[in-house]
Amino acid sequence: MTSPDILVIGGGIAGLSAAAALSSHARVTVLEAEEQVGYHSSGRSATMVHYALGDRLVRALTLASRPFFETPPDGFTDVPLGHRVPVLVHARDDEREALDALDAEISLFAKLERLDSAGVHELCPLLRDDARHGIADFEATRLDPHALLQGNLRQLRSRGGELHTGARVARIAREGGVWAVTTEKGDCFAAPVLVNAAGSWADAVAVLAGVRPLGLEPKRRTIITFDAPPGTPLDRLPFAKTVGDQLYFAAESGRLFASPMDEVPSEPMDAQPDEYDVALAAYRMEERTTVQVRQIHSKWAGLRTFTPDRHPAAGFAPDAEGFFWLAGQGGFGLQTSPAMAQVVESLVAATAWPVPDVAREALLPDRFLRQPA
Ligand SMILES: Cc1cc2nc3c(=O)[nH]c(=O)nc-3n(C[C@H](O)[C@H](O)[C@H](O)COP(=O)(O)OP(=O)(O)OC[C@H]3O[C@@H](n4cnc5c(N)ncnc54)[C@H](O)[C@@H]3O)c2cc1C
């Protein structure tokens, strides 16, 4: 039996970053079902830090996370956590109103440049002529998710914390003031505090523990990679996104990647791309750019898991002592992870509240549990 102060279920970015932050206050053990960390959503993302995602609360968490990405703590990583990739949100004439509205919102958080048709095409020569308006954030960052996951793991271990992989939690019970947890292999762990950072499985983990679920909704998103036309300046290409949620694309390891920004409801699972969404990605790429997708080099899908209000949930369950929710990171879990880890630290270890622009109540799970079950 291993008995730390805090057990974390889930070795994705949510669980690892929270564990790293908590390890300066307590003995922390992370249990991850797979053989490697980041196997599910955290290893399948588009890895951007940008503001054209989510709403004001998500943007505030993103803004609060940026200093960490720019200047990680000493010893966190030997390599940069990311590199500059401009974000271009583009619009046709009929989408201009939506672009104006987004410009006003994002300008509260980032310095944007407004681009006319010539500016849009100078930044992204692949777009069709009807992309006539744009806003660009030249300070945006593309993350190295491996460096981010490994940095958190390194920090956790340097403070005496542990990670157990291949440790799928199969049984959870509250016994004698602690959470007693047993894995499928029969290993036993116990701690007074249990952090549920199981991503798409977080509701299932709650049910296993006899705790009321939040109503999380995993949604599948697909990415394809394919060759860029010869001569494409891949090293200067932005992350280019339609103002509506239809398409984004960017350079990826000498090729291009694109997503149709699908949000297909899914059970928690090892998500696989659906042929329809793969075809949709290629179709929308050809619709909005001059690129012809002749051959798909690779494809993958991952789950983005949302709470009912699409804001993350962090806080102790009101109905179960010591059971801490950390779920619903949607499509912004990497870029908000430093701030969310500090939120967890504040709620568990009573440190200062890290995001003055975000009310604690807006993140607490209680907001979903007011109605009778
Ligand atoms: C296509 C795509 C594009 C994205 N683009 C971006 C982006 O540009 N920027 C951004 O910030 N975010 C992006 N995201 C979202 C981001 O990837 C997620 O918000 C984030 O990875 C969620 O992290 P997590 O730790 O909650 O989940 P996960 O990474 O899924 O981790 C949860 C872990 O819990 C483990 N687990 C589950 N059940 C158990 C159990 N019973 N016992 C033990 N372990 C268990 C799982 O094995 C898993 O490893 C994107 C996601 C996708 C799919």
Side-chain angles (χ1 to χ4, degrees):
M1 165 84 77
T2 308
S3 305
D5 302 312
I6 300 175
L7 272 173
V8 177
I9 301 181
I13 191 57
L16 286 180
S17 56
L22 291 170
S23 63
S24 50
H25 306 276
R27 289 171 305 132
V28 183
T29 295
V30 178
L31 303 177
E32 166 53 47
E34 306 293 349
E35 295 300 333
Q36 69 199 65
V37 298
Y39 175 79
H40 289 288
S41 304
S42 301
R44 306 181 190 199
S45 100
T47 71
M48 286 301 299
V49 180
H50 70 106
Y51 295 99
L53 193 67
D55 60 6
R56 207 168 278 192
L57 179 140
V58 171
R59 290 187 187 108
L61 291 169
T62 304
L63 183 67
S65 297
R66 284 195 76 147
F68 187 98
F69 298 132
E70 305 283 338
T71 318
D74 282 346
F76 188 83
T77 173
D78 301 328
V79 293
L81 286 180
H83 64 284
R84 286 266 176 272
V85 172
V87 167
L88 167 65
V89 183
H90 54 91
R92 299 184 297 223
D93 284 341
D94 62 317
E95 297 167 326
R96 188 170 179 167
E97 225 171 274
L99 190 73
D100 290 344
L102 189 64
D103 186 352
E105 269 298 313
I106 299 182
S107 293
L108 300 172
F109 297 88
K111 196 162 85 46
L112 292 180
E113 276 187 38
R114 190 82 197 204
L115 303 180
D116 60 11
S117 183
V120 167
H121 290 91
E122 192 185 330
L123 183 56
C124 188
L126 299 178
L127 288 169
R128 285 196 183 276
D129 290 347
D130 61 359
R132 287 162 47 83
H133 314 277
I135 49 177
D137 175 1
F138 288 95
E139 302 289 303
T141 300
R142 186 136 192 231
L143 292 171
D144 175 343
H146 182 72
L148 189 59
L149 288 162
Q150 290 303 322
N152 279 299
L153 185 52
R154 184 196 271 198
Q155 201 173 51
L156 170 71
R157 285 182 168 143
S158 72
R159 293 169 177 164
E162 287 180 15
L163 165 73
H164 295 253
T165 54
R168 186 179 302 279
V169 171
R171 181 180 174 273
I172 307 174
R174 186 82 178 167
E175 291 166 359
V178 296
W179 289 101
V181 168
T182 311
T183 66
E184 266 180 7
K185 291 178 182 161
D187 296 325
C188 298
F189 301 83
V193 172
L194 181 68
V195 176
N196 177 10
S200 305
W201 290 266
D203 266 353
V205 162
V207 170
L208 210 55
V211 175
R212 203 170 135 190
L214 299 184
L216 297 171
E217 295 183 18
K219 299 197 170 174
R220 193 180 65 229
R221 177 154 290 182
T222 309
I223 291 185
I224 61 170
T225 71
F226 47 92
D227 284 337
T232 303
L234 287 173
D235 53 339
R236 280 181 280 125
L237 219 55
F239 175 87
K241 179 190 174 304
T242 51
V243 65
D245 283 353
Q246 283 140 8
L247 174 76
Y248 61 64
F249 65 92
E252 169 83 12
S253 309
R255 294 192 164 86
L256 294 172
F257 80 86
S259 172
M261 303 190 70
D262 43 328
E263 279 203 1
V264 182
S266 169
E267 292 299 312
M269 62 164 72
D270 186 355
Q272 299 301 323
D274 183 274
E275 283 312 314
Y276 173 82
D277 300 310
V278 169
L280 190 63
Y283 172 81
R284 289 193 177 155
M285 193 65 201
E286 295 194 349
E287 182 188 36
R288 304 299 288 243
T289 74
T290 54
V291 179
Q292 294 204 319
V293 183
R294 293 187 196 284
Q295 194 184 0
I296 290 165
H297 175 71
S298 63
K299 56 191 173 180
W300 68 88
L303 298 179
R304 300 155 77 249
T305 298
F306 294 92
T307 65
D309 65 8
R310 293 177 79 99
H311 292 161
F316 282 103
D319 55 340
E321 198 187 342
F323 187 96
F324 191 95
W325 280 99
L326 178 58
Q329 287 82 353
F332 43 82
L334 293 178
Q335 69 182 40
T336 56
S337 59
M340 286 303 293
Q342 287 181 336
V343 162
V344 175
E345 190 181 1
S346 173
L347 293 170
V348 174
T351 54
W353 185 246
V355 267
D357 294 341
V358 174
R360 182 183 306 238
E361 293 68 33
L363 297 177
L364 294 180
D366 310 42
R367 68 194 194 275
F368 304 116
L369 302 169
R370 290 194 189 106
Q371 308 298 329

